[in-house]
Amino acid sequence: MTSDASSSPNRNEPVFLGEYLVRLGFVTEPQLAAALALQKEVNLKLGECAVDLGFLSRADALAVYEAQRTNDVTFGVLAVKLGKLTRLQLEQALEYQRFKHLRIGEALVKLGAISAPLLEQAAKAFEDLWPKPAAKTAAAPASKVAESELVDCTQRLLVRVAGLRTKQTPWEPLDAGPRVDLLTTGIQLNGRARLGLWISVSRVTGAALAKGLLPGFEGHDVGHLALDELVNMVCGHAVSALEKVGLHWSNCPPKRGWPELHTQTGHVVTLVAPDDERLELRVTR
């Protein structure tokens, strides 16, 4: 999972299109903030679309979201499996969601912040900064497939439990560890090789995770408790996903803090969210 230095974007490059447009001077910070607010107002989760269409009650939608905590599948697939939606209703809800969905560039054009032709040119240049990651293949080493699945699963769960969409920066060699002001929890997977996953988040992000994972819980440690839960869920879902491709792993209980791993090697990948909250993932071997 190491990145080719000749093809990887500079760590100082913008990670999101809106940030890139501001950097180039095409839009202003207030215009971007207005576009993000419009996007948040318009875009709906699939469950909300199904409720709007009268296919689900809010209680049923919440039940499906809750079931996703132990099932690493999409809302629609799980809703059908649980008998909450028919396949036809799922297709209609997906079409409604696509109709309602507003991308950040479209929001900026809609608000008159940038013209459509200029947006198209800028978006193409932005895409060239971020080469697509290599696809997972059967020929890839088992440990590399497992590393990639851990990070991908973290991103999926962040969306589901905290509504936090992130983008990966290039993977870098393992460093000395996270800052002491971050909440950190790790977990170990045992299989063909030993792998460790360590996730570090700010206390603000920890509180956001707690709202989705531990509703009703309070206390100064609630963010760390939520991070413990997230790490455990990531590894549980990753183990299930790897089983489907014939890779057998098992996970141990989470551990807090960052140990001294002088003999460990691995990688660090940063997940960047639009509000600039950075999450650090460390995969150790």
Side-chain angles (χ1 to χ4, degrees):
M1 288 300 299
T2 53
S3 301
D4 182 352
S6 63
S7 62
S8 297
N10 187 289
R11 284 295 298 270
N12 293 323
E13 293 287 1
V15 179
F16 293 94
L17 176 60
E19 181 188 1
Y20 180 68
L21 294 173
V22 171
R23 182 82 62 89
L24 292 182
F26 291 149
V27 302
T28 65
E29 289 279 4
Q31 286 173 327
L32 177 59
L36 288 169
L38 177 62
Q39 191 182 38
K40 186 175 182 179
E41 177 185 344
V42 171
N43 292 347
L44 299 176
K45 292 183 178 180
L46 184 58
E48 294 170 328
C49 293
V51 170
D52 278 2
L53 292 170
F55 298 156
L56 285 180
S57 66
R58 294 201 178 276
D60 282 341
L62 289 173
V64 178
Y65 284 128
E66 179 63 23
Q68 278 190 299
R69 293 181 59 180
T70 53
N71 294 270
D72 189 20
V73 294
T74 63
F75 180 94
V77 170
L78 189 54
V80 171
K81 182 178 179 180
L82 294 175
K84 304 294 186 181
L85 290 176
T86 66
R87 292 191 179 277
L88 177 59
Q89 287 174 330
L90 172 58
E91 289 299 323
Q92 291 175 331
L94 286 168
E95 183 60 32
Y96 180 73
Q97 186 185 44
R98 285 190 289 268
F99 174 75
K100 296 281 289 184
H101 187 76
L102 189 67
R103 298 180 182 275
I104 189 62
E106 295 169 338
L108 287 165
V109 171
K110 189 178 183 68
L111 293 173
I114 190 172
S115 69
L118 183 55
L119 172 67
E120 184 177 357
Q121 282 186 319
K124 176 62 172 65
F126 176 70
E127 287 177 6
D128 292 341
L129 290 176
W130 293 93
K132 294 182 179 179
K136 301 175 189 175
T137 64
S143 60
K144 298 297 183 184
V145 175
E147 289 178 8
S148 182
E149 182 59 38
L150 286 172
V151 177
D152 293 347
C153 188
T154 300
Q155 289 188 282
R156 293 195 299 270
L157 284 173
L158 285 171
V159 173
R160 292 175 188 171
V161 304
L164 194 62
R165 295 188 180 276
T166 59
K167 187 168 185 175
Q168 294 184 32
T169 64
W171 290 51
E172 297 184 341
L174 189 65
D175 60 10
R179 303 192 314 267
V180 295
D181 59 315
L182 297 178
L183 305 177
T184 299
T185 294
I187 199 167
Q188 180 178 300
L189 278 78
N190 296 314
R192 295 189 185 181
R194 292 177 62 181
L195 283 179
L197 172 69
W198 300 84
I199 302 181
S200 303
V201 303
S202 70
R203 294 189 179 277
V204 172
T205 301
L209 291 174
K211 288 182 179 179
L213 288 171
L214 304 171
F217 274 63
E218 296 182 357
H220 73 282
D221 201 32
V222 68
H224 222 151
L225 288 170
L227 183 58
D228 296 346
E229 180 75 6
L230 175 68
V231 169
N232 199 42
M233 289 173 63
V234 167
C235 286
H237 289 181
V239 165
S240 297
L242 291 167
E243 287 281 352
K244 294 177 182 177
V245 295
L247 299 177
H248 306 292
W249 301 78
S250 61
N251 61 307
C252 300
K255 299 178 181 179
R256 290 190 184 180
W258 173 253
E260 294 186 10
L261 298 174
H262 300 299
T263 61
Q264 298 270 7
T265 59
H267 297 92
V268 181
V269 59
T270 303
L271 303 183
V272 187
D275 60 1
D276 209 33
E277 283 287 342
R278 283 169 164 76
L279 298 88
E280 300 174 1
L281 273 65
R282 289 170 175 80
V283 180
T284 60
R285 294 193 296 273

